[in-house]
Amino acid sequence: MYRDIAHAVYKRGEASMGNYEMPAWGWGILFLDLLLFLPLILIVNYSLGHIFPTLAIVEDPSPPAYEPVSLNEDTQSIAEENAPLADESGRNSCGCGTQSHLITASIRSTYRTLKAISGWRSLFRGLACYLALGVATSVVYGILVSAFVPSLIAGPLSALALVQLYTAWTHIVISVPSSKTFWQRLPPFKKAFQATALPIVMYFFAVELSSFVPKMLAFAMGMNIPNPKTPNTIPVGDKNDIWKGFIVLLISLVLHVFLVIPTQVILARVQASLLPEDEDTVVPFDRSFQGKVEPAIVGGKGFVTIKDAWKSFSRASWVRLVKLYVKIFLCGMALAFAWVVVLVPEMVLIISHSKKIE
């Protein structure tokens, strides 16, 4: 809903510039803004928003003696021969079992661990798979929606068709670099579907619900919100929209904290349990999930169940994950504030030098 509002404001601004010619140097300023903010937006939205939480979800808070793995044999790693290993800083301190010494206990320690593996590239690990996943999801989702399937159903169904890609992305994020391409790391569809079908439906239904409910609530309260069918029209608000907007925002936050994040935890941990035995992780990871998972070779399922994925995630881990999300939110707000501080004066300057077209 708030994305619709921003889009409407953008369209209104675009329309207001329709009779004016922007100076040539104005395009240069906007291009420099793009070069400056695009990497920052990518880091906040992808690295902090997806990679860091996934690592925090799978990290074992009280690992046994954790033997670091050498990354020097990896053909794609750009780490130096004597560079510190990804988990070396956490291994010596994790043995004490305190949350403060975990790799994902802070954004800084997580960043240092990833940077030690293959430099800044580690911040974008799995990006190729993520982009392919985004394209594939858009195609499948678009087909379902065009067939008049409701978005609440189309979202989970499109994710079900791509369980291999979703699982492969999680494996790429939590494991050390590999010379294999992401499509070579796709798990067997049958096994991935058997393990993650229900968790992935739960997660994507929660995501769709967290978007659908606030929109319906805003509509029910008569809140003046933009109509996507008329993007150039911005509805006139009134003073009641302030408290209505606060309620909608609060409900959206509650749904994300108590519905989206818990289902994300379950999904990521189930996906992680499918990681092949010959692939090492960048954070301490309990493959047995406190002895709940038995390898398929000895007659077990070979992956963790939803119940065990939930129960094995400790209260301290929940606190650590929520703190991480708060920090990520604050980073996003700081970036948005910086964007406004830079862009508004530039737009005022550009508009003041724009020429009206007769």
Side-chain angles (χ1 to χ4, degrees):
M1 184 185 69
Y2 292 99
R3 188 164 52 241
D4 294 337
I5 295 174
H7 181 69
V9 172
Y10 168 77
K11 284 292 185 180
R12 182 69 173 268
E14 186 181 55
S16 65
M17 288 292 291
N19 296 326
Y20 288 85
E21 181 182 0
M22 191 168 65
W25 52 264
W27 292 106
I29 290 179
L30 295 180
F31 179 71
L32 291 176
D33 288 339
L34 183 65
L35 291 180
L36 173 64
F37 283 99
L38 186 59
L40 296 176
I41 293 173
L42 189 59
I43 289 174
V44 171
N45 285 278
Y46 181 73
S47 304
L48 295 184
H50 291 83
I51 294 178
F52 283 38
T54 301
L55 293 175
I57 289 170
V58 303
E59 183 173 13
D60 185 6
S62 54
Y66 190 70
E67 184 65 25
V69 296
S70 175
L71 304 178
N72 295 328
E73 295 179 359
D74 174 32
T75 57
Q76 291 188 344
S77 174
I78 62 172
E80 299 293 337
E81 288 291 325
N82 296 321
L85 297 171
D87 52 25
E88 192 171 285
S89 60
R91 177 191 49 149
N92 295 330
S93 55
C94 278
C96 63
T98 60
Q99 291 286 319
S100 61
H101 290 152
L102 292 176
I103 292 175
T104 58
S106 69
I107 290 178
R108 178 180 295 181
S109 63
T110 307
Y111 167 74
R112 287 177 176 174
T113 298
L114 291 176
K115 188 174 182 294
I117 300 174
S118 53
W120 59 269
R121 295 185 185 181
S122 282
L123 293 176
F124 307 105
R125 49 180 33 232
L127 184 58
C129 182
Y130 183 82
L131 294 175
L133 188 54
V135 172
T137 301
S138 298
V139 172
V140 177
Y141 184 85
I143 293 174
L144 292 174
V145 171
S146 63
F148 304 104
V149 177
S151 61
L152 277 174
I153 307 300
L157 283 181
S158 60
L160 275 178
L162 303 169
V163 288
Q164 290 173 286
L165 272 173
Y166 281 104
T167 303
W169 180 85
T170 299
H171 290 177
I172 294 170
V173 167
I174 68 174
S175 63
V176 299
S178 170
S179 59
K180 296 179 182 179
T181 57
F182 72 83
W183 58 85
Q184 292 175 321
R185 301 185 65 177
L186 296 176
F189 180 81
K190 181 179 179 180
K191 187 173 183 179
F193 188 87
Q194 181 185 5
T196 67
L198 184 54
I200 212 167
V201 167
M202 291 168 54
Y203 171 69
F204 279 93
F205 184 76
V207 170
E208 292 294 335
L209 200 63
S210 67
S211 175
F212 179 79
V213 170
K215 288 181 179 179
M216 291 300 100
L217 180 62
F219 177 78
M221 292 191 301
M223 186 176 176
N224 296 312
I225 58 177
N227 186 347
K229 295 181 180 179
T230 57
N232 291 328
T233 302
I234 300 179
V236 179
D238 56 51
K239 60 181 181 180
N240 291 325
D241 284 339
I242 297 177
W243 65 264
K244 291 177 182 178
F246 177 77
I247 292 176
V248 170
L249 183 62
L250 183 62
I251 294 299
S252 179
L253 181 63
V254 169
L255 289 173
H256 273 83
V257 172
F258 294 101
L259 195 61
V260 176
I261 294 179
T263 53
Q264 179 191 14
V265 167
I266 292 173
L267 175 60
R269 290 177 69 79
V270 172
Q271 290 172 331
S273 69
L274 293 173
L275 184 70
E277 290 289 339
D278 60 347
E279 295 187 21
D280 295 292
T281 57
V282 297
V283 294
F285 174 51
D286 179 16
R287 294 176 183 268
S288 71
F289 288 83
Q290 301 176 6
K292 302 295 184 180
V293 177
E294 293 185 358
I297 195 173
V298 296
K301 289 185 177 181
F303 58 86
V304 71
T305 63
I306 292 177
K307 179 181 178 181
D308 291 332
W310 176 267
K311 292 179 65 176
S312 60
F313 198 63
S314 65
R315 182 180 180 276
S317 295
W318 278 111
V319 172
R320 173 165 46 91
L321 182 62
V322 170
K323 286 181 178 179
L324 175 61
Y325 271 114
V326 171
K327 294 174 184 177
I328 293 171
F329 174 77
L330 293 177
C331 287
M333 293 297 293
L335 180 59
F337 178 76
W339 173 269
V340 171
V341 168
V342 172
L343 194 63
V344 169
E346 290 178 350
M347 292 306 298
V348 171
L349 181 64
I350 291 173
I351 292 173
S352 65
H353 288 79
S354 297
K355 296 180 180 179
K356 188 172 184 179
I357 302 174
E358 300 296 340

